[in-house]
Amino acid sequence: MRRNKLRLGVNIDHVATIRNARGIRHPDPVRAAGLAVRAGADGITAHLREDRRHISDEDIAALSDVLTVPLNFEMAATDEMLEIALRHKPHAACLVPEKRQELTTEGGLDVAGQHNRLKHYVDALKRAGIRVSLFIDPSNEQLDAAVDLGAPVTEIHTGAYCELVGEPQQEELERIRKAVQYGHSKGLEMHAGHGLAYETVSPVAAMPELAELNIGHFLIGEAIFHGLEASIAEMRRLMDEARA
Ligand code: PXP
């Protein structure tokens, strides 16, 4: 198949995590978003969590005002988040599961098990012209449920692949590859993300059916050592090299 350019969505949540550690205005995630775009990001991703532990309502408002690239708004399927999404009308909304005590989004959304509950959110977002994505584990059952719901995009959770080592990591990579192929064959636009780093990105970026990767925590951490623009540019280079 033709190898389209793989888009990079840079997740800026953890610029806000550092800012919030002091409760002041620095560092500003909106400024980071501008730098990310200069360095090669095709879009900006931000997760407004229910507990507002990193990105704030004001950040989403400011990003909606100033961004020159698509905003991918990550949200739990709740009425509060739906109202915020409908107010700002981001380019895309990615529905993610959320548990208050978790350190990060630990697993994919159970689309198959929550079909009826999710339908209301998917339909309302689509009616507003927002491109809906569902964040799921690499499973055909979840992909079939996403198709049933009418979601145009799914994002495959790469967190387990990034954490594992050796053979189990290769097995998880195969699960991701099969899921990406299956979802693509069903007409879904396929994205992937979570936990990706320089050492793990290439085999994922090489999957020709993928249209977008969303990467955050590693890039913000790496920026401490090499700067944000250089870190993003290196990730972009690895992705392009894997696609070549
Ligand atoms: N994609 C989704 C749906 C996510 O929830 C996250 C984390 O907010 C990411 C991608 C980015 O993950 P990481 O920060 O580990 O790169």
Side-chain angles (χ1 to χ4, degrees), residues 11 13 47 74 94 96 105 135 155 193-196 214-217:
N11 181 315
D13 291 352
H47 184 179
E74 286 182 5
C94 181
V96 300
T105 313
F135 188 45
E155 179 166 331
H194 210 283
L196 291 168
N214 284 297
I215 309 180
H217 183 266

Side-chain angles (χ1 to χ4, degrees), residues 105 129 169 191 224 235:
T105 313
Q169 185 182 45
H191 298 179
I224 295 169
M235 188 61 84

Side-chain angles (χ1 to χ4, degrees), residues 70-90:
L71 173 64
N72 175 30
F73 178 64
E74 286 182 5
M75 55 178 270
T78 65
D79 291 347
E80 182 200 17
M81 289 300 149
L82 177 62
E83 186 272 314
I84 294 168
L86 295 180
R87 184 153 21 104
H88 294 295
K89 295 208 172 53

Side-chain angles (χ1 to χ4, degrees), residues 187-229:
L188 292 166
E189 180 175 310
M190 298 304 296
H191 298 179
H194 210 283
L196 291 168
Y198 294 155
E199 310 85 71
T200 47
V201 75
S202 299
V204 178
M207 297 176 191
E209 299 85 359
L210 280 176
E212 180 173 305
L213 300 183
N214 284 297
I215 309 180
H217 183 266
F218 174 80
L219 289 172
I220 305 307
E222 194 64 9
I224 295 169
F225 305 107
H226 298 292
L228 187 59
E229 288 186 73

